[in-house]
Amino acid sequence: MPIKPTVEERPGCGWPARLAARASRWLLRPLVSRLPWTPFTLRFAPLLDLGAALLVPPRGTRVTKVRGLGCGAEWVRGPGVPAGSRKAIVYYHGGGFVACGLRTHRRMIARISQAAGMPVLSVAYRMPPRVTIDTSIRDCVDAYRWLLDLGYAADDIVVGGDSAGGYLAFMAPLYALRDGLPRPAGIVALSPFTDLDIDTKVVHANAAIDPFIPAPRMWDMVRTCFPGADYTDPWLSPVHADLRGLPPTLVQAGSIEVLLADAELLAERLGAADVPCTLQIWEGQMHVFQIFADVSREGLAAIREIGAFARRVTGAPARQEAA
């Protein structure tokens, strides 16, 4: 008998989160709705990461550049995280597959590191349209393989990511298993994109209320990053993949985001594949609300849950300090 995923509805949405969602609906959603997905405009997408240099990580964070991979990467150790830890998280950033990077996510990743009590290998995989999505996936697999080659045990590694990085947090382990690598201890995905069929999101109830993502525009992302793809290809679409053998998984999503459709479908498919999965649905929260933890207490609470999950699946001791 397939196992049922655990669905946890997290009630409570403070006024800062509500205000952030309202501001996003007024400012960001109209911009995303009108921004053209052309080769010319996508040339400027990397500038978003450069502009994020002002988002400094929490005091006490240690960042170390990584060399030897085919893409950019860095170690991020949150405040109080020891340098000699043999447990780690490998994290893939979101950004619609075409934007963001190490700088945009460094502050949130430092908080995740602190909450988990272990360092995070943040991976700046190469992105479409400069490379194919297969190259992006391979960069993520290679980062996981690099950790194994350093002597980290697979049982001591958690794979994570948000949005497009959440997609990669599932595809990288699937490709790694196909390559004969051992499975990681766990997967954590924040608002993951997992289904290339955008019509399922366009008709979802949240399509009308998502304060950031206009669902129909996601077709532009798919056509750009997955040109000519079969949307049911199991080596391109996590919800159509053979998920058996994946490790315990934590999925977090906001109750008002359109990618809740993907999170719910993925949790269902993981259960059908006998993969233990916990889906947390956070009331009133928008896409990747954890990145707004500076103004949202729910973001901090969600990060603490991520840290607790990482410690549990790797057997790391509990931490007393808050994220």
Side-chain angles (χ1 to χ4, degrees):
M1 285 287 292
I3 62 175
K4 292 189 64 175
T6 300
V7 179
E8 299 176 353
E9 296 188 1
R10 297 305 176 92
C13 181
W15 68 264
R18 293 195 299 270
L19 183 61
R22 191 169 302 170
S24 180
R25 173 172 288 277
W26 291 341
L27 300 174
L28 293 181
R29 179 165 173 143
L31 177 64
V32 175
S33 297
R34 294 170 175 78
L35 194 66
W37 276 71
T38 66
F40 176 77
T41 56
L42 290 178
R43 290 174 58 188
F44 298 96
L47 295 179
L48 181 60
D49 190 52
L50 292 176
L54 298 176
L55 297 175
V56 297
R59 181 176 298 179
T61 299
R62 298 290 181 265
V63 178
T64 306
K65 293 295 181 185
V66 168
R67 305 191 186 282
L69 291 173
C71 61
E74 65 185 21
W75 280 112
V76 179
R77 286 191 291 116
V81 175
S85 173
R86 299 306 297 170
K87 300 180 187 296
I89 299 170
V90 56
Y91 194 92
Y92 313 126
H93 68 82
F97 297 102
V98 299
C100 298
L102 301 177
R103 298 175 184 87
T104 54
H105 284 64
R106 189 177 290 150
R107 188 170 178 86
M108 180 181 72
I109 286 174
R111 285 195 166 111
I112 292 173
S113 169
Q114 183 183 19
M118 60 188 72
V120 179
L121 178 65
S122 179
V123 181
Y125 53 90
R126 290 169 289 178
M127 296 183 285
R130 294 170 180 81
V131 299
T132 65
I133 192 64
D134 183 66
T135 298
S136 302
I137 295 170
R138 281 294 164 191
D139 280 349
C140 295
V141 176
D142 288 346
Y144 176 64
R145 189 193 308 270
W146 183 79
L147 278 178
L148 296 173
D149 290 343
L150 280 183
Y152 284 84
D155 287 344
D156 291 332
I157 301 173
V158 173
V159 176
D162 63 276
S163 195
Y167 166 93
L168 293 165
F170 289 101
M171 294 311 298
L174 287 169
Y175 274 68
L177 290 172
R178 188 175 71 171
D179 290 350
L181 298 177
R183 76 174 191 176
I187 296 173
V188 59
L190 288 55
S191 303
F193 172 78
T194 62
D195 185 2
L196 274 60
D197 185 358
I198 304 305
D199 284 342
T200 62
K201 288 168 269 294
V202 171
V203 299
H204 192 274
N206 282 357
I209 62 174
D210 188 306
F212 176 54
I213 300 176
R217 290 308 309 273
M218 297 182 77
W219 274 121
D220 294 313
M221 179 186 74
V222 170
R223 294 183 185 112
T224 298
C225 302
F226 301 84
D230 174 358
Y231 301 145
T232 64
D233 185 338
W235 293 106
L236 285 179
S237 177
V239 297
H240 293 290
D242 182 356
L243 302 173
R244 292 173 297 175
L246 288 184
T249 299
L250 171 66
V251 179
Q252 294 181 336
S255 71
I256 62 172
E257 66 167 310
V258 73
L259 282 183
L260 177 61
D262 285 29
E264 291 173 328
L265 178 57
L266 179 70
E268 177 186 318
R269 298 287 169 83
L270 286 167
D274 291 326
V275 177
C277 174
T278 298
L279 169 61
Q280 295 178 346
I281 303 174
W282 293 73
E283 179 186 356
Q285 301 299 321
M286 57 189 290
H287 186 61
V288 195
F289 64 95
Q290 301 87 344
I291 210 164
F292 303 109
D294 287 295
V295 296
S296 168
R297 66 175 183 266
E298 296 85 12
L300 288 173
I303 288 173
R304 287 194 291 270
E305 296 275 1
I306 295 168
F309 172 82
R311 294 193 307 270
R312 183 170 65 253
V313 296
T314 60
R319 290 173 63 85
Q320 298 302 315
E321 56 265 49

